[in-house]
Amino acid sequence: MIYKKDANFPYPVLTNTSNSYESGGFTLSVDLKENTDNYRFDIEYEVESEFLQRLLARKQAQLFLIIQSKDNKFFKLQPDERAIEIAKSRLSINTRTSIQMSIQATTDISFRDNEDINDFYREFKDDIVVPKHALLGFSNTVIFEGSSTKPFDLFERKIDATLKSDIKVELGSETIVIHYKNEDLQFAGMPMSGTLNNPYIYMGLQKALHRFATNPDYGDDGHVYLDDVELPTDQLDAKLYRLMKAKMVYELDVDSLDEVIYKISDRVIEKYATAVKGLEASGD
């Protein structure tokens, strides 16, 4: 359960808005990344109570990460755990996802040694004992609106009747431009015309990633370690860089272009094949 408003408890609970504790709170920040197969949640948090820190270290309390979206999930976390990776087959995320951390007691907890609570509770802390599974604290809520970077944001489509070929893939200053000799090549007016253009998307990504991998400013001998590369000044390369980082791609070379495209492209070829099979089944 995610607590979005203050809730009343008969004992002190650490939050960022309650005054049960003398000072401090429970802050959470999350960086959400994803590729074709997995979500990755990079977590930073701070529990500003030495009493609760001791309980966590002694395993008298347990951290939980709660994800509320199309699916609702919770995960146990160790105190030093800063990332969890979840297969997309186990979690569905919609356009709005809420994430919160909580602390629960794993045994009956006496507050006798809790010096962090406010004066009101401190007067009778020797009498405060909360049962196993009781909530001891919850963080702020982190909200993600929509998914992370989409590969299709990289593209522009243009019609050029003067082309000497049916299509031409050009790397522009900020986008990958697909020039079509005529509109029919875009499958305009057909069901799922956008998906039928996915092979062109694939071709564009191959061309742009090959240029990225062989740029000597980013690596040697066509091999790039993305963690060693600063954000490129070239706008198209900067978009590719952000997309690959968001999709958990750590290395790029000319031999791994197809593997990288699979990770960053949201299954463009699989969707294309499904669309073609659908048209065949419907007799179109």
Side-chain angles (χ1 to χ4, degrees), residues 46-159:
E46 185 172 8
V47 177
E48 297 180 72
S49 161
E50 293 183 0
F51 174 73
L52 293 181
Q53 290 173 14
R54 289 196 298 272
L55 293 182
L56 290 168
R58 295 170 183 165
K59 300 189 184 303
Q60 293 176 290
Q62 172 69 56
L63 285 165
F64 287 90
L65 185 74
I66 305 125
I67 301 173
Q68 186 177 72
S69 189
K70 187 175 181 180
D71 289 337
N72 294 323
K73 298 278 188 180
F74 66 90
F75 302 88
K76 290 183 179 179
L77 291 180
Q78 298 304 314
D80 59 348
E81 198 170 4
R82 289 295 184 272
I84 59 171
E85 197 160 315
I86 307 165
K88 287 186 172 179
S89 59
R90 294 182 56 208
L91 179 69
S92 296
I93 284 182
N94 57 21
T95 55
R96 185 179 177 88
T97 300
S98 301
I99 301 173
Q100 188 176 66
M101 286 187 75
S102 67
I103 304 172
Q104 290 186 18
T106 61
T107 184
D108 293 353
I109 300 293
S110 167
F111 275 54
R112 179 178 295 115
D113 298 327
N114 191 343
E115 301 296 333
D116 304 329
I117 51 181
N118 65 22
D119 291 339
F120 172 77
Y121 285 114
R122 197 171 295 173
E123 289 184 10
F124 52 92
K125 65 179 184 178
D126 289 357
D127 299 325
I128 300 176
V129 178
V130 299
K132 182 179 180 179
H133 302 309
L135 183 73
L136 302 176
F138 59 88
S139 74
N140 55 295
T141 303
V142 177
I143 297 174
F144 290 96
E145 299 281 359
S147 187
S148 56
T149 312
K150 292 292 186 182
F152 296 97
D153 295 342
L154 293 167
F155 286 85
E156 280 186 85
R157 298 180 188 179
K158 294 183 178 179
I159 303 294

Side-chain angles (χ1 to χ4, degrees), residues 168-181:
K168 177 182 177 181
V169 177
E170 182 182 35
L171 303 182
S173 59
E174 295 187 19
T175 55
I176 302 167
V177 185
I178 304 176
H179 299 274
Y180 298 82
K181 191 166 187 173

Side-chain angles (χ1 to χ4, degrees), residues 201-265:
I201 299 295
Y202 198 101
M203 293 165 58
L205 288 172
Q206 271 193 324
K207 190 168 186 174
L209 289 173
H210 186 275
R211 188 185 73 172
F212 194 111
T214 56
N215 189 328
D217 290 341
Y218 308 147
D220 297 322
D221 300 324
H223 198 122
V224 178
Y225 294 95
L226 290 171
D227 285 343
D228 295 339
V229 178
E230 295 184 358
L231 182 67
T233 55
D234 179 272
Q235 291 303 303
L236 176 56
D237 284 351
K239 290 181 180 179
L240 286 167
Y241 174 84
R242 291 193 184 98
L243 178 61
M244 287 188 284
K245 297 278 281 188
K247 300 291 186 179
M248 294 180 279
V249 174
Y250 306 108
E251 295 182 42
L252 174 70
D253 59 52
V254 292
D255 294 325
S256 66
L257 297 183
D258 296 299
E259 181 182 332
V260 170
I261 292 172
Y262 174 77
K263 290 182 178 178
I264 69 174
S265 67

Side-chain angles (χ1 to χ4, degrees), residues 152 155 157 167-169 176-180 185-187 192-208 258 261 265-276 279:
F152 296 97
F155 286 85
R157 298 180 188 179
I167 67 163
K168 177 182 177 181
V169 177
I176 302 167
V177 185
I178 304 176
H179 299 274
Y180 298 82
L185 295 170
Q186 294 185 355
F187 304 100
M192 304 186 76
S193 61
T195 306
L196 293 175
N197 279 268
N198 282 359
Y200 306 137
I201 299 295
Y202 198 101
M203 293 165 58
L205 288 172
Q206 271 193 324
K207 190 168 186 174
D258 296 299
I261 292 172
S265 67
D266 293 342
R267 302 180 185 275
V268 288
I269 296 302
E270 181 180 319
K271 291 175 181 175
Y272 166 75
T274 300
V276 172
L279 291 174

Side-chain angles (χ1 to χ4, degrees), residues 23-60:
S23 62
F26 185 1
T27 55
L28 170 70
S29 64
V30 181
D31 184 20
L32 170 59
K33 299 176 180 175
E34 63 174 301
N35 59 26
T36 299
D37 297 319
N38 300 304
Y39 292 112
R40 178 185 172 91
F41 298 88
D42 290 314
I43 304 155
E44 294 292 338
Y45 70 89
E46 185 172 8
V47 177
E48 297 180 72
S49 161
E50 293 183 0
F51 174 73
L52 293 181
Q53 290 173 14
R54 289 196 298 272
L55 293 182
L56 290 168
R58 295 170 183 165
K59 300 189 184 303
Q60 293 176 290

